[in-house]
Amino acid sequence: MAGYRKLGRTSSQRKALIRGQVTSLLNNGKIVTTEARAKEISKVAEGLIALAVKEKDNFDEVEVTAKVARKDKDGKRVKEVVDGKKVTIYDEVKKTIKKDQPSRLHARRQMNKVLYTVTDKTGKKNEAKKVDLTKKLFDEIAPKYADRKGGYTRIVKIGQRKGDAAMEVLLELV
């Protein structure tokens, strides 16, 4: 007996389907899909969440100085004429950043192997923001489940689909 469901697809199609659905689940918090798919997606999603919970506090905070372009009231860069050329003026700013430990960095890369890039299209017409799901996993989802030992997803049966009578379920983060 196989250790996974084939879902009537080739391996590349199946992997793409699972990656897409896991990305959607972690981005939105819940998805509606068939029961067989939900069980496969749940395995992958729970593995990613468990990895995030394990590595959530494994970082160092480092203070660095960075050069940032000075901007005017309109948000445009301030330029100054030096030796007949326009040069942008930079200010030095101190920032604290999170520097991952090697095991957390490895976990982040493992997550990026599974998750697709997500763009959030809320806001103006042509402005799409990239959502960093690995950051969301470490900063929002992992602290929420820090005291749980597994069981991060829930499958709720909705009913049969009209077209092919497949059992539809709601897969959500607990």
Side-chain angles (χ1 to χ4, degrees), residues 67-103:
K67 287 187 176 182
V68 179
R70 190 181 299 168
K71 296 186 178 178
D72 61 2
K73 63 182 179 192
D74 298 327
K76 295 183 180 179
R77 292 181 173 193
V78 176
K79 297 194 177 193
E80 206 174 69
V81 178
V82 177
D83 298 329
K85 293 182 180 179
K86 284 188 174 181
V87 180
T88 306
I89 301 172
Y90 291 95
D91 297 325
E92 285 193 8
V93 180
K94 290 192 176 193
K95 294 181 178 180
T96 55
I97 59 169
K98 290 180 180 178
K99 185 178 177 189
D100 290 345
Q101 292 289 332
S103 60

Side-chain angles (χ1 to χ4, degrees), residues 71-165:
K71 296 186 178 178
D72 61 2
K73 63 182 179 192
D74 298 327
K76 295 183 180 179
R77 292 181 173 193
V78 176
K79 297 194 177 193
E80 206 174 69
V81 178
V82 177
D83 298 329
K85 293 182 180 179
K86 284 188 174 181
V87 180
T88 306
I89 301 172
Y90 291 95
D91 297 325
E92 285 193 8
V93 180
K94 290 192 176 193
K95 294 181 178 180
T96 55
I97 59 169
K98 290 180 180 178
K99 185 178 177 189
D100 290 345
Q101 292 289 332
S103 60
R104 180 172 162 137
L105 178 63
H106 180 67
R108 183 181 300 275
R109 288 181 175 160
Q110 292 295 316
M111 290 174 191
N112 283 333
K113 272 188 355 185
V114 176
L115 301 171
Y116 283 125
T117 323
V118 177
T119 52
D120 185 22
K121 295 181 181 173
T122 56
K124 294 183 181 175
K125 187 176 181 182
N126 292 327
E127 290 184 20
K129 275 174 124 176
K130 283 190 176 179
V131 178
D132 188 6
L133 279 182
T134 54
K135 185 177 179 181
K136 183 177 180 178
L137 267 166
F138 283 126
D139 296 344
E140 295 174 26
I141 297 173
K144 185 177 164 186
Y145 298 120
D147 56 336
R148 272 182 95 96
K149 294 183 179 175
Y152 308 116
T153 58
R154 174 189 302 139
I155 296 176
V156 180
K157 291 184 180 182
I158 297 174
Q160 292 184 325
R161 191 161 51 196
K162 188 175 182 182
D164 60 354

Side-chain angles (χ1 to χ4, degrees), residues 5-21 37 116:
R5 291 168 183 82
K6 294 186 180 177
L7 304 175
R9 288 167 164 49
T10 63
S11 61
S12 59
Q13 291 172 340
R14 185 173 54 251
K15 287 174 189 172
L17 172 84
I18 291 171
R19 286 181 67 190
Q21 298 246 319
R37 287 180 188 172
Y116 283 125

